Amino acid sequence: MSVNVRLLGIAVFFNLLGRGAFMASSALYFTRFAGVTPGQLGVGLAVAGATGLVSGVPFGHLADRRGQRDVAAVLLILSALAAGFFLVVGGFVQFTAVAVVFTFIERGAYAARQAVLSTLTAGEDATLARAQIRTIGNLGVAIGSGIAGLAIWADTQEAYMGVIGFNAASYLICGLVFFALPRIAAVPVQPGASKLPVLRDRRYTAATMVNMIMVIHFAMLDIGFPLWIAQHTNAPHWMTAVLILFNTAGCVLFQISASRRIGTLESARRSWRLAGFLFLGTCVLTGLADGASALGACVLLLVAAGLHLYGEIIQSAAGWVISIDLAPAGQNGQYQGLFTTGFAFSQMVAPFVISTLVIENGTIGWVCLGATFALAGIAMTPVLRIADGASSANPCDKEIARS
């Protein structure tokens, strides 16, 4: 593991350590101690999520033009400041205002951070390096969730506020570690060139949209399984914790080994297609758990979680290759900004898709969602065949065209 990968891993670990703790416990704090009702919490987060959709590309563009490392570090430190203001929230208006500011900056920081990661890990072992960083990040999320569990067990306002302060500190640490990375030179705009060519890149835009649909699968773990287990199966409620632990441990243990085989656009295309069918299998088995005995439901859910785990691992690795290899040199920031906007949109709509369209329609809802994943898996092949002058030529494109 190179020095750059090690530093990136440390930065991401601390960032996701705090964010994992915050995400697992913040809803309880806001609804119990900050004067926000559950309904207001959902509205505020939706408004903030919509705001975050417009920050990725411009901040990514800024990172390209002013230096990716410096912009990412500054935005991470500003995210720490914004996250700290959650400590003084008192009511819906204040919560929404802080959430909007925080999400706007944090989404931009994420786009710039991804640009730094793609630039500093470029090369022969890029996919392996990104897998190592994601593994370290998953470990941070797991430990952060444990910290949140301690706060929930204590169940005091002070404990929850400690988690919020810890989350703010995690962004600060991440930003400071970024300053220890090599400085990345700014890329000047060529005279007469479009300032935001990513918006005219048909292939990259289409890939972002396909990815936007596919990454809804992340909501299956923290929203779909818990609601389905509680409302439609005979499985014990603690199966939710088992499935989350199974997924977290599996990502930590197998992300690196599975990613070694995904390093070109051709291998990414095949893995993406396979992931779509794995998610289809996940959805079908989850739907079949309705009406099964307690033991049968547990078995079906465990197998479904296994398919989801492998699908998540290879889809993540394939997504890295696609998002980075299709981006022209010197424009990683704005291209990663667009790709992360797809993630942000998915995070905004996924709770509604899972909780309303899927759960309320029972098994047929799961089958329809699975079919959508399978189609998204297949769709990436014609997307990668799209010829676009804004995209850099890649020798793997010939392999895709022949397949």
Side-chain angles (χ1 to χ4, degrees):
M1 186 182 296
S2 69
V3 174
N4 288 342
V5 172
R6 189 177 297 113
L7 285 173
L8 283 166
I10 292 171
V12 171
F13 173 80
F14 279 105
N15 194 188
L16 295 185
L17 182 69
R19 187 157 179 79
F22 178 80
M23 294 301 293
S25 62
S26 59
L28 291 174
Y29 170 75
F30 292 128
T31 55
R32 295 183 60 191
F33 299 104
V36 181
T37 67
Q40 290 173 337
L41 179 70
V43 172
L45 291 176
V47 173
T51 304
L53 293 177
V54 301
S55 65
V57 172
F59 276 126
H61 177 67
L62 179 66
D64 290 333
R65 300 296 166 250
R66 300 297 181 183
Q68 294 171 357
R69 185 209 67 174
D70 295 344
V71 171
V74 170
L75 288 175
L76 285 163
I77 293 172
L78 290 176
S79 296
L81 180 63
F85 276 99
F86 280 121
L87 290 168
V88 297
V89 162
F92 171 66
V93 174
Q94 290 183 8
F95 167 74
T96 303
V98 174
V100 164
V101 172
F102 170 73
T103 304
F104 183 78
I105 298 174
E106 195 273 338
R107 285 290 90 193
Y110 182 76
R113 193 187 82 184
Q114 290 299 100
V116 172
L117 188 152
S118 66
T119 298
L120 294 184
T121 61
E124 185 177 340
D125 297 323
T127 303
L128 176 60
R130 293 158 200 157
Q132 292 171 334
I133 293 169
R134 185 172 192 262
T135 298
I136 295 171
N138 280 327
L139 185 60
V141 171
I143 297 174
S145 298
I147 294 173
L150 293 176
I152 295 171
W153 174 76
D155 199 29
T156 64
Q157 182 174 358
E158 291 74 18
Y160 289 118
M161 293 179 73
V163 170
I164 293 175
F166 180 65
N167 179 49
S170 76
Y171 279 95
L172 177 61
I173 293 171
C174 185
L176 294 177
V177 173
F178 260 61
F179 276 123
L181 292 165
R183 191 175 186 278
I184 301 171
V187 180
V189 178
Q190 299 298 321
S194 172
K195 290 185 177 181
L196 294 175
V198 67
L199 300 181
R200 300 182 180 181
D201 191 326
R202 294 176 300 153
R203 179 164 62 168
Y204 202 87
T205 301
T208 297
M209 294 179 67
V210 172
N211 178 70
M212 181 175 67
I213 296 171
M214 188 73 100
V215 294
I216 290 175
H217 77 80
F218 285 109
M220 293 168 59
L221 191 66
D222 55 4
I223 298 175
F225 286 154
L227 291 178
W228 188 250
I229 288 171
Q231 299 178 16
H232 291 271
T233 77
N234 293 314
H237 290 185
W238 48 257
M239 271 299 295
T240 295
V242 171
L243 297 180
I244 292 175
L245 179 61
F246 174 76
N247 178 270
T248 303
C251 287
V252 170
L253 293 173
F254 303 117
Q255 182 72 68
I256 294 174
S257 59
S259 299
R260 292 182 188 275
R261 300 185 296 274
I262 307 172
T264 65
L265 281 177
E266 170 59 15
S267 59
R269 178 191 67 82
R270 293 195 305 266
S271 297
W272 188 275
R273 183 175 58 189
L274 175 58
F277 285 104
L278 288 170
F279 295 146
L280 169 60
T282 299
C283 291
V284 171
L285 291 176
T286 302
L288 292 176
D290 184 11
S293 65
L295 178 60
C298 289
V299 171
L300 286 169
L301 289 168
L302 278 172
V303 177
L307 295 179
H308 180 268
L309 170 63
Y310 187 53
E312 175 184 339
I313 287 173
I314 63 174
Q315 181 271 322
S316 296
W320 301 331
V321 174
I322 292 168
S323 68
I324 293 172
D325 283 16
L326 294 186
Q331 297 173 356
N332 277 335
Q334 60 176 283
Y335 272 72
Q336 290 302 310
L338 181 62
F339 208 74
T340 58
T341 296
F343 279 101
F345 181 81
S346 178
Q347 290 174 347
M348 188 173 66
V349 303
F352 172 78
V353 171
I354 298 292
S355 63
T356 303
L357 299 182
V358 175
I359 300 297
E360 290 188 3
N361 287 286
T363 302
I364 188 63
W366 282 107
V367 173
C368 290
L369 179 64
T372 302
F373 287 138
L375 290 174
I378 295 171
M380 189 59 81
T381 294
V383 164
L384 293 179
R385 289 174 177 160
I386 296 175
D388 197 304
S391 299
S392 58
N394 191 304
C396 294
D397 291 350
K398 295 180 179 179
E399 297 179 48
I400 293 170
R402 288 196 300 264
S403 62

